[in-house]
Amino acid sequence: TNVLCRELHKGYNIESITINKFFGFNAEGETKHMTSFDSSNFNCIIFDEIYFYNVSNLIKVHNYIKNNSDKIILATGDVDQLESIDIVSNVKNYEEYINHCINSIFPYEILLTENKRLKTDEDKLKLKNIKNNFLKANIPVMDIINKYNFKTTHKVITEDNIAYTNS
């Protein structure tokens, strides 16, 4: 994320920082404080990849929103992308719980269902089918690779579909 932030800052002249720097915590935990980002000169804050945040960071975002009602605060994310590396809930289904948390923080949402980068309906349907295949744990990875003619290396580490679990 640090590399991405630097690229955005250079290429698009966007001020971008990691969630830890924004709230003033380094990667070693909340015991070693850094100076939090001064957002006073900004009227719009966007929290990107919010589905990757842990519960502690979601609480920080929630509190920031409560204390900054003068700002436009948005979040982006995709529930089908990477989950937080931290445990979000050991009781409820991840997707259900994280959606509940995010919807509690952001009462309005826009759900985008079509990839606009793909130009043809055929390519859009193919992408949708590939995604659905990868989210089915019972389809072996090599079957998906062969079905869609993906280029691969000769060194395959696992043939198990670990992109999705029912845990």
Side-chain angles (χ1 to χ4, degrees):
T1 51
N2 283 326
V3 171
L4 179 61
C5 287
R6 285 193 300 273
E7 287 176 9
L8 285 172
H9 186 67
K10 285 190 300 189
Y12 296 99
N13 198 24
I14 295 172
E15 185 73 32
S16 57
I17 57 174
T18 64
I19 186 81
N20 287 349
K21 186 171 182 180
F22 187 84
F23 288 115
F25 294 103
N26 68 18
E28 289 153 20
E30 297 185 11
T31 56
K32 295 184 178 183
H33 286 276
M34 298 185 315
T35 303
S36 61
F37 180 75
D38 178 9
S39 63
S40 60
N41 291 329
F42 294 85
N43 62 2
C44 181
I45 304 294
I46 301 171
F47 293 99
D48 193 24
E49 298 293 352
I50 198 156
Y51 282 94
F52 194 63
Y53 293 12
N54 61 29
V55 174
S56 175
N57 283 342
L58 290 174
I59 291 168
K60 290 175 188 144
V61 169
H62 176 71
N63 290 336
Y64 180 82
I65 290 170
K66 283 193 326 188
N67 295 325
N68 290 278
S69 61
D70 60 323
K71 295 187 183 299
I72 298 167
I73 302 174
L74 309 169
T76 65
D78 183 347
V79 72
D80 291 330
Q81 288 184 335
L82 292 174
E83 296 180 8
S84 171
I85 58 172
D86 296 323
I87 293 175
V88 173
S89 173
N90 61 355
V91 178
K92 294 191 175 222
N93 168 282
Y94 167 81
E95 185 176 336
E96 179 183 322
Y97 186 71
I98 197 77
N99 278 329
H100 169 76
C101 292
I102 292 169
N103 291 336
S104 297
I105 299 169
F106 297 94
Y108 305 104
E109 66 182 67
I110 298 171
L111 177 62
L112 304 176
T113 58
E114 184 176 336
N115 186 321
K116 295 293 187 179
R117 290 183 184 138
L118 300 174
K119 300 301 178 201
T120 68
D121 289 339
E122 179 184 352
D123 285 344
K124 292 174 185 179
L125 180 61
K126 184 177 181 180
L127 178 63
K128 185 177 181 178
N129 289 334
I130 290 169
K131 176 183 166 188
N132 288 336
N133 285 169
F134 272 115
L135 294 178
K136 293 178 183 171
N138 61 339
I139 300 177
V141 170
M142 290 309 295
D143 289 355
I144 299 169
I145 288 170
N146 291 331
K147 180 177 180 178
Y148 295 102
N149 298 316
F150 288 117
K151 294 179 182 176
T152 62
T153 66
H154 294 289
K155 182 180 177 183
V156 176
I157 297 170
T158 181
E159 291 187 15
D160 295 328
N161 186 344
I162 58 173
Y164 176 79
T165 62
N166 291 322
S167 59

